[in-house]
Amino acid sequence: MIVERDVVVVGGGPAGLTAAARLAAAGLTVTILDEQPELGGQYYRRPAPEVARRWGDHRREGGELIAGVRAAGVECRTGHLVWGLADDDRTLLAEDEAGRPVRLRGRHLVLATGAYERSFPFPGWQLPGVTTPGFAQHLAAGDHTPIGERVVLAGSGPFLLPVACSLLALGVKVAGIAEAGTPYRPGRRALGTLRHPARLRELAGYAARLARARVPVWQGAVVLRADGHDRVSSVTLAAAGRPGQAIRTVEADALCVGYGFRPQTDLARLLGCEVTADPGTGDAIPVTDPAGRSSRPDVYVIGEAAGIGGAPTARARGLAAAHDILARETGHPVPPAEARRVATAARRLGHFTALTDALYPSPAQLLDALVPALADSTMACRCESVTAGELRADAAGDVNAAKARTRAGMGPCQGRVCGFAVAGLVRGGAVFPSRVPIRPVRMTTLLELAAEDGPA
Ligand SMILES: Cc1cc2nc3c(=O)[nH]c(=O)nc-3n(C[C@H](O)[C@H](O)[C@H](O)COP(=O)(O)OP(=O)(O)OC[C@H]3O[C@@H](n4cnc5c(N)ncnc54)[C@H](O)[C@@H]3O)c2cc1C
């Protein structure tokens, strides 16, 4: 059986929820799918019930948005992973939490699949206690659980600051933040933030909190290696420009390293949506118009899946797509004043994103700093146990060829963890191609799907 709807939304984060609520409120039949057990995505991730009872909801507006989605009559299918596409190129293949196959088709398909963290390997990155900042943030903000007692944060980007503050709020000792770039040195580029007082206030709040706790911020520093026996116990840093030379070793029982976020475009690419290189980051992003309409007229790509911009931008993109779909369905464009308000907000948010991108090193600059220092013996692809040396030896300038020859990127993560490093090591294209299944899927789901289709 195929579930047919006016609109199918994949991804229940700020973008997908905003689009779904607006569309269902206007009377369209909408289904939203998310692989997670609860709606909310990354930014509005719901705290566990016992955490919410004790400490309250850390993002109340998320709870209100989800309640609005349900009240508008959106069919919410949580625990549903979309893993493929049927031969008609339109029907999404998903599995529910019990492993049963589900097929869905929408006259409009809205992809709001979010982002994932940009990782880069280093000796010791497989030690227990080494994670990404996003994971530490989920544990801290969502579950009130500290990732460790003495934590080093490293990588690049503004996200390291709120993560450090969330850890401090739990009483964790933040031993320091190693930022690969030098974004916090006064300069002309930083002056642009004056045009965004709310964001500046947010940044000042983090800076004040870190200063009060005397958290050192080492700018121009990258992780050289993590050491420890059965868990990380120390982190050695190097200067970003001279990555081979240690500048400091810091004791820590947890290390969280991330270089910002990458758009999650696997489903968009599987659907054949055209992609291009993001001018700021070089990452592959779907080509869309301002409403999120992709090169396929029935497919919209919104939120971080369309380019990194933060939760407010994700919501603005969700609204713009909903307005466009409503105009197409009803023949009545949204009132010009409302359309102008959404467009102005989106432009302003886009300006802030461009400003932030310019303050921190671009992914290409990060690769220039990180790749030469990566020892050949370091495991680059953890799923398939492929070392940096094997990939270097295979530097054919093509991630796809490297994947075929070494198996890097063929494992369960499908290149989400290793892809950035593999591209740097083989000096080739930015992302692995998207293939069915885009995520690991149970064999029983496939068998049940085949049984439904009968012998043919
Ligand atoms: C690990 C992590 C932690 C983050 N934490 C913060 C934070 O604390 N503060 C902050 O300002 N920003 C944070 N961000 C950035 C954040 O992504 C946003 O700015 C915001 O949540 C983007 O909204 P979105 O709706 O575009 O995507 P998301 O909120 O990421 O939502 C996307 C949703 O799509 C679902 N999905 C993706 N693919 C599939 C599929 N194939 N099948 C079914 N469901 C699918 C995911 O489960 C997810 O719920 C974080 C990002 C990551 C990756």
Side-chain angles (χ1 to χ4, degrees):
M1 190 188 86
I2 299 179
V3 179
E4 303 256 10
R5 295 285 181 266
D6 293 331
V7 187
V8 172
V9 180
V10 184
L17 289 168
T18 305
R22 183 74 178 87
L23 291 163
L28 268 56
T29 56
V30 183
T31 288
I32 192 164
L33 299 150
D34 200 297
E35 62 178 310
Q36 295 295 329
E38 297 283 347
L39 293 173
Q42 303 293 357
Y43 190 72
Y44 291 141
R45 185 173 282 258
R46 301 296 73 215
E50 53 278 20
V51 172
R53 261 196 303 278
R54 185 142 177 217
W55 283 286
D57 186 346
H58 66 298
R59 293 213 168 101
R60 288 243 316 268
E61 76 273 23
E64 286 158 13
L65 181 58
I66 293 168
V69 162
R70 293 191 191 280
V74 175
E75 185 202 22
C76 301
R77 290 182 178 242
T78 51
H80 278 61
L81 169 75
V82 178
W83 55 267
L85 186 63
D87 288 346
D88 64 1
D89 257 358
R90 281 189 59 212
T91 308
L92 295 180
L93 303 176
E95 73 171 7
D96 69 10
E97 62 272 85
R100 283 182 299 253
V102 179
R103 302 177 215 225
L104 295 108
R105 200 184 284 159
R107 256 203 328 283
H108 307 276
L109 196 53
V110 178
L111 307 181
T113 47
Y116 57 93
E117 291 180 277
R118 189 190 307 279
S119 299
F120 193 87
F122 50 86
W125 76 314
Q126 289 156 291
L127 279 171
V130 179
T131 71
T132 60
F135 181 66
Q137 176 75 342
H138 283 169
L139 280 185
D143 295 341
H144 262 254
T145 304
I147 188 83
E149 290 177 4
R150 196 183 153 84
V151 180
V152 170
L153 289 157
S156 187
F159 187 53
L160 298 178
L161 306 180
V163 179
C165 292
S166 298
L167 291 170
L168 289 174
L170 290 180
V172 171
K173 168 82 185 158
V174 178
I177 301 176
E179 161 59 56
T182 55
Y184 311 120
R185 287 190 189 145
R188 265 202 25 218
R189 270 190 303 202
L191 284 178
T193 52
L194 293 174
R195 290 174 57 193
H196 300 270
R199 306 308 287 266
L200 201 58
R201 265 198 305 279
E202 187 183 342
L203 188 68
Y206 297 140
R209 180 76 189 90
L210 296 174
R212 274 202 305 280
R214 296 182 193 283
V215 174
V217 178
W218 303 298
Q219 298 195 66
V222 294
V223 175
L224 182 60
R225 61 171 195 275
D227 293 294
H229 193 54
D230 49 6
R231 184 184 174 90
V232 60
S233 59
S234 71
V235 180
T236 300
L237 303 176
R242 284 169 284 117
Q245 294 168 28
I247 50 171
R248 125 178 327 109
T249 296
V250 190
E251 274 178 33
D253 65 352
L255 165 65
C256 311
V257 193
Y259 294 89
F261 301 104
R262 305 185 87 185
Q264 174 73 49
T265 58
D266 48 3
L267 202 48
R269 286 180 289 123
L270 193 65
L271 279 152
C273 301
E274 193 187 328
V275 292
T276 185
D278 182 314
T281 65
D283 283 328
I285 50 164
V287 176
T288 60
D289 72 4
R293 223 191 278 191
S294 74
S295 57
R296 262 185 75 150
D298 57 334
V299 178
Y300 289 73
V301 189
I302 59 169
E304 305 254 80
I308 304 306
T313 303
R315 290 197 65 168
R317 288 177 181 160
L319 204 52
H323 284 165
D324 199 62
I325 292 172
L326 288 176
R328 284 168 74 185
E329 284 286 312
T330 62
H332 302 300
V334 289
E338 192 176 353
R340 259 199 313 276
R341 194 174 50 75
V342 173
T344 308
R347 254 199 318 279
R348 207 171 148 64
L349 290 163
H351 176 258
F352 184 77
T353 303
L355 204 68
T356 318
D357 283 351
L359 284 178
Y360 293 88
S362 69
Q365 289 167 325
L366 288 169
L367 285 179
D368 285 347
L370 296 168
V371 169
L374 188 62
D376 277 349
S377 56
T378 309
M379 201 61 80
C381 167
R382 301 191 290 199
C383 301
E384 295 289 339
S385 301
V386 183
T387 63
E390 285 170 80
L391 285 158
R392 265 200 191 102
D394 202 67
D398 179 355
V399 287
N400 213 8
K403 178 180 179 177
R405 282 194 221 121
T406 66
R407 294 192 60 83
M410 275 199 203
C413 92
Q414 287 289 291
R416 276 180 283 274
V417 178
C418 66
F420 180 55
V422 173
L425 284 161
V426 307
R427 297 191 294 276
V431 279
F432 291 115
S434 190
R435 297 239 172 83
V436 175
I438 56 172
R439 304 287 179 83
V441 57
R442 293 173 181 87
M443 205 53 149
T444 46
T445 304
L446 300 179
L447 290 171
E448 215 174 301
L449 194 69
E452 277 177 12
D453 283 343

